[in-house]
Amino acid sequence: MKTAITEMFAIEAPVFAFSHCRDVVVATSKAGGFGVLGAAWMTPEHLEQELKWIDDHIDGKPYGVDMVFTSTASDISGSKNPREILPREQVDYINGLMTRDGVPELPQEEVDGWYQDYAANLSFTQPESEALFEVAMRHPVRFVVSALGIAPPHVIQRVHDAGLKFGALVGSARQAQKQVEAGVDVIVAQGTEAGGHTGDVASMVLWPEVVDAVAPVPVLAAGGIGRGRQMAAALALGAEGIWCGTIWLGTVESELAPDMRDVLYAARSADAVITYGYTGKPCRALRSKFTEAWAAQEAPEPLKVPYQSILSGEPFRRAERAHRKDWMTYAAGQVVGQVNEPKTVKQVMYDMLNEYLETTEKLNTILEA
Amino acid sequence: MKTAITEMFAIEAPVFAFSHCRDVVVATSKAGGFGVLGAAWMTPEHLEQELKWIDDHIDGKPYGVDMVFTSTASDISGSKNPREILPREQVDYINGLMTRDGVPELPQEEVDGWYQDYAANLSFTQPESEALFEVAMRHPVRFVVSALGIAPPHVIQRVHDAGLKFGALVGSARQAQKQVEAGVDVIVAQGTEAGGHTGDVASMVLWPEVVDAVAPVPVLAAGGIGRGRQMAAALALGAEGIWCGTIWLGTVESELAPDMRDVLYAARSADAVITYGYTGKPCRALRSKFTEAWAAQEAPEPLKVPYQSILSGEPFRRAERAHRKDWMTYAAGQVVGQVNEPKTVKQVMYDMLNEYLETTEKLNTILEA
């Protein structure tokens, strides 16, 4: 295949895999696509370890790193016990519901120690982002992506000076234009059907709008893509490649735990709902008793970023320990309805490209008539 | 072009135009597409008049009629003064806001008489639907569509006995399967980005899901289509044709009033929001002080169908009389961002098919490389 993106990164197929799992990153790049490691939640030490592993296994194929550059994040790294900075009302609401529903509590001493570690990873200040960026730049990454926020000029300059590309996720044409003005080389336009933090405009409308707004800067289409027909639709809408996340969660290579895999395979498209309970911002995740608790009329207001994420860690871990699938949730897009069994990353890629070919052929027969 | 739908209806392009405006219906059918008149809000007398006009102007081209078949609608036709059956809290809330914002009230005697007429059109009982259906069957309609609900078996049988086709709008694969079991010939799968009443799943995910669920029954793609790239995406996703509504609102042939046209042309994609204020059910419409009033924390609960529609008639008319565009809203999908100036229906069709051709050619160059 040949698009502006396959040319830019010298890859066979313009299929980008966003994943928190290094095995998925390696497998997609080796299958002719391009793996991007989600690093925002990692400490610099953890990221160093993951990139080292990737370098040792990826056979020199290109890959990227995704992080956040937000200027508004609260610095919570200095808090003695992060649980104590959370308002009791919200903590007691969700944990009380779980207790009444028979989900065992965690031992208190474990909770305290674990909150401390967990919260440290959720502190997205500029110095922390730059520390992650420094780690990435010591490895042969080819693509640095901002999942949130406009990166400082010196960061984008460093990327360009090293001959690499900088990308940014957006949910609107206006955000896309601002990122391009900041020097971004590739826009990832993400429709509302995507997993995780997402805007209101659907991919069908958003992608051509963004493509027109930033041309000739190439656009990767994100949100709602997991098979060849959707890939063909994305390229028809003007994208030069695709960016998928949800579709890799259920692969053999994914590190998702068995219980969560069951939840994922069972979910239908309409089960990927917008919730404020996950992080405090609109985030698409799998419907469960947890998401419904925060959508209930009697629910207290979810906390602001990053406090709601800190708060949600304990209920998530309780559900996990007790194998309570009815309380489990995970950030996922509406394509989750297409993820019903474990497949290798290679098989997912093969099926997708095969259906893409069939689709292009079918479109030609419509016109030949 | 040749798809299952162009064959079924013997039309040149599988482009269906849903419109409340007879001129749009006639213009699309004459331009090689297929016009469908939205009749749900009409009285049988009004529908008779519209179909007579269409028959006189459409030069024998095929067209259709869209109505609702709901078994749960309340019968409000017998109420003496429909305004009196509405709870004061909601009526006073919205009208009070408008008064405080300087929008003149309507003369009371006019309000009463008008409520009576208006409410009569919003009573969607089975006998009323069947009365509309009887009118339609006296005219050369080729396609009867249920916008809501499963039509009674004898209705679908009558359509089939006359050699016509029956269609149904759905927002999920499960609804689509139920409609097919009831004997429906064509499924219109409508994604969340569509105008009017809409589900949660976006077109990118919904269409292929519905296509697979009901194959070989042909699917028309609705929600998010207004240009050739989107049409190509719909056919790539497995649809046999497209169904558009919003895109015709701004055409020269549309009967939309000048103020509302201005509102429409100025709206961006993100301005088409889900509101409960329009009808009491989730309905995508243009953001205004009216939709924001019902989304406010202090807003009373919107009424159930059809009472919220009856309630919203007075604020809509007040805004119209006073030329207060900031209070105007209209059901529209996210493609409204693409509707920025008046064009003829023929021009919209021409531009769409032209871009469709270009898009198919571009997809071929991606593979030839």
Side-chain angles (χ1 to χ4, degrees):
Chain A
M1 294 179 64
K2 185 178 170 180
T3 72
I5 287 290
T6 60
E7 300 279 284
M8 182 180 277
F9 293 101
I11 51 178
E12 287 165 45
V15 178
F16 285 63
F18 169 81
S19 178
H20 293 286
C21 173
R22 62 193 189 183
D23 302 76
V24 171
V25 170
V26 165
T28 40
S29 288
K30 283 166 95 170
F34 195 106
V36 180
L37 186 71
W41 288 37
M42 294 180 188
T43 58
E45 298 70 32
H46 185 193
L47 178 60
E48 172 60 36
Q49 192 181 333
E50 299 298 276
L51 296 185
K52 171 84 173 59
W53 189 91
I54 289 173
D55 293 340
D56 289 344
H57 292 82
I58 206 163
D59 297 349
K61 298 286 182 188
Y63 70 91
V65 166
D66 172 284
M67 54 185 71
V68 300
F69 291 95
T70 164
S71 49
T72 56
S74 307
D75 184 359
I76 51 167
S77 53
S79 310
K80 257 269 174 303
N81 182 344
R83 199 188 202 221
E84 282 165 20
I85 59 177
L86 300 176
R88 284 245 62 83
E89 186 190 359
Q90 282 83 349
V91 173
D92 291 347
Y93 170 71
I94 193 70
N95 284 292
L97 276 180
M98 294 186 84
T99 301
R100 288 195 293 284
D101 198 39
V103 185
E105 292 183 22
L106 300 175
Q108 193 56 47
E109 61 283 9
E110 181 186 340
V111 171
D112 288 344
W114 167 80
Y115 255 102
Q116 192 80 42
D117 292 348
Y118 185 72
N121 293 358
L122 292 169
S123 187
F124 299 137
T125 61
Q126 204 67 38
E128 288 165 303
S129 298
E130 299 212 17
L132 288 175
F133 175 69
E134 289 302 328
V135 171
M137 292 301 281
R138 288 199 297 269
H139 292 265
V141 299
R142 309 279 175 90
F143 192 30
V144 179
V145 181
S146 170
L148 186 67
I150 292 180
H154 71 93
V155 164
I156 297 179
Q157 192 59 53
R158 277 272 301 284
V159 167
H160 287 162
D161 289 348
L164 316 175
K165 299 297 177 185
F166 200 91
L169 256 79
V170 305
S172 75
R174 203 187 306 192
Q175 284 172 5
Q177 282 164 327
K178 282 188 188 167
Q179 291 285 3
V180 167
E181 282 160 23
V184 161
D185 308 291
V186 176
I187 292 293
V188 185
Q190 181 181 273
T192 187
E193 50 271 72
H197 293 128
T198 183
D200 294 323
V201 181
S203 293
M204 188 63 53
V205 173
L206 179 71
W207 295 339
E209 209 166 78
V210 172
V211 165
D212 288 349
V214 302
V217 172
V219 172
L220 291 173
I225 311 178
R227 56 188 281 188
R229 282 182 182 171
Q230 288 153 340
M231 181 181 181
L235 298 189
L237 289 159
E240 299 288 330
I242 62 171
W243 171 282
C244 311
T246 304
I247 198 74
W248 317 109
L249 293 176
T251 57
V252 173
E253 288 87 347
S254 158
E255 62 191 3
L256 221 60
D259 284 337
M260 194 65 91
R261 269 178 197 270
D262 292 345
V263 170
L264 191 84
Y265 295 146
R268 296 168 180 233
S269 51
D271 292 325
V273 296
I274 296 287
T275 177
Y276 284 76
Y278 211 102
T279 66
K281 288 179 61 172
C283 177
R284 194 174 295 281
L286 298 178
R287 187 201 314 273
S288 72
K289 285 183 176 171
F290 177 84
T291 63
E292 295 195 336
W294 291 104
Q297 283 239 304
E298 68 276 15
E301 190 86 356
L303 305 176
K304 298 280 169 235
V305 173
Y307 303 103
Q308 185 70 16
S309 297
I310 300 174
L311 180 148
S312 62
E314 184 175 352
F316 289 175
R317 179 160 280 212
R318 282 179 72 172
E320 195 183 307
R321 285 286 175 85
H323 300 285
R324 283 291 298 265
K325 295 179 194 169
D326 54 341
W327 277 94
M328 290 181 185
T329 183
Y330 202 87
Q334 292 183 335
V335 289
V336 72
Q338 300 168 206
V339 181
N340 303 310
E341 51 176 358
K343 287 185 189 174
T344 61
V345 165
K346 201 171 170 181
Q347 187 68 44
V348 171
M349 289 273 286
Y350 177 84
D351 291 348
M352 187 184 281
L353 295 175
N354 219 28
E355 196 183 70
Y356 174 79
L357 273 171
E358 282 169 21
T359 303
T360 310
E361 279 163 22
K362 197 200 152 189
L363 286 180
N364 283 325
T365 66
I366 290 173
L367 279 179
E368 277 158 14
Chain B
M1 293 178 66
K2 185 177 170 180
T3 73
I5 287 289
T6 60
E7 300 280 282
M8 182 180 276
F9 293 102
I11 51 178
E12 286 165 47
V15 178
F16 285 62
F18 169 81
S19 179
H20 294 287
C21 173
R22 63 194 189 184
D23 302 77
V24 171
V25 171
V26 165
T28 42
S29 288
K30 284 166 95 169
F34 195 107
V36 179
L37 186 71
W41 289 36
M42 294 180 187
T43 58
E45 299 69 32
H46 185 192
L47 178 60
E48 172 60 38
Q49 193 182 331
E50 300 298 276
L51 297 185
K52 172 87 173 60
W53 190 90
I54 289 173
D55 293 339
D56 289 346
H57 292 82
I58 206 163
D59 298 348
K61 298 286 181 191
Y63 70 92
V65 167
D66 172 284
M67 54 185 71
V68 300
F69 291 95
T70 165
S71 49
T72 56
S74 307
D75 183 0
I76 51 166
S77 54
S79 310
K80 259 268 173 303
N81 183 345
R83 197 188 202 220
E84 282 165 18
I85 59 177
L86 300 175
R88 285 245 62 84
E89 186 191 359
Q90 281 81 351
V91 173
D92 290 347
Y93 170 71
I94 193 70
N95 284 293
L97 276 179
M98 294 186 83
T99 301
R100 287 194 294 283
D101 196 40
V103 185
E105 292 183 22
L106 299 175
Q108 193 55 48
E109 60 284 10
E110 180 184 342
V111 172
D112 289 342
W114 168 79
Y115 256 103
Q116 193 80 43
D117 293 346
Y118 185 69
N121 292 358
L122 292 169
S123 187
F124 299 136
T125 61
Q126 204 66 41
E128 288 167 302
S129 297
E130 299 210 17
L132 288 175
F133 175 69
E134 289 303 326
V135 171
M137 293 301 282
R138 290 200 296 268
H139 292 266
V141 299
R142 310 277 173 92
F143 192 31
V144 179
V145 181
S146 170
L148 185 68
I150 292 180
H154 70 93
V155 165
I156 297 179
Q157 193 58 53
R158 278 273 302 282
V159 167
H160 288 163
D161 289 347
L164 316 175
K165 299 296 178 188
F166 200 92
L169 256 80
V170 304
S172 75
R174 202 185 308 192
Q175 285 173 6
Q177 282 165 326
K178 282 189 188 166
Q179 291 285 2
V180 167
E181 282 161 23
V184 161
D185 308 292
V186 176
I187 293 292
V188 185
Q190 181 181 273
T192 188
E193 50 270 73
H197 293 129
T198 183
D200 295 323
V201 182
S203 293
M204 188 63 52
V205 172
L206 180 71
W207 296 338
E209 210 167 78
V210 171
V211 165
D212 287 349
V214 303
V217 172
V219 172
L220 292 173
I225 311 177
R227 56 189 280 187
R229 283 184 181 171
Q230 289 153 340
M231 181 180 182
L235 299 188
L237 288 160
E240 300 288 330
I242 62 172
W243 171 281
C244 310
T246 304
I247 199 75
W248 317 110
L249 293 175
T251 57
V252 173
E253 289 87 346
S254 158
E255 64 191 2
L256 221 60
D259 284 336
M260 193 65 89
R261 271 178 194 270
D262 292 345
V263 170
L264 191 84
Y265 296 145
R268 296 170 181 232
S269 50
D271 292 326
V273 295
I274 296 288
T275 178
Y276 284 78
Y278 210 102
T279 67
K281 289 179 61 172
C283 178
R284 195 175 293 281
L286 299 177
R287 188 201 313 273
S288 73
K289 286 183 176 171
F290 178 83
T291 64
E292 295 197 334
W294 291 104
Q297 282 239 305
E298 67 277 15
E301 190 85 356
L303 304 176
K304 299 279 169 233
V305 173
Y307 303 103
Q308 184 70 18
S309 296
I310 300 174
L311 180 148
S312 62
E314 183 174 353
F316 289 174
R317 179 161 281 212
R318 280 179 74 171
E320 195 183 308
R321 284 289 175 83
H323 301 284
R324 283 291 296 266
K325 295 179 195 169
D326 54 342
W327 277 93
M328 290 182 185
T329 183
Y330 201 85
Q334 293 184 336
V335 290
V336 71
Q338 301 168 204
V339 181
N340 304 311
E341 52 176 356
K343 287 184 187 175
T344 62
V345 165
K346 201 171 169 179
Q347 187 68 43
V348 171
M349 290 272 286
Y350 177 84
D351 291 347
M352 187 184 282
L353 295 175
N354 218 28
E355 196 182 69
Y356 174 80
L357 274 170
E358 282 169 19
T359 303
T360 310
E361 278 162 23
K362 196 202 154 188
L363 286 179
N364 284 326
T365 66
I366 291 174
L367 279 179
E368 277 158 13

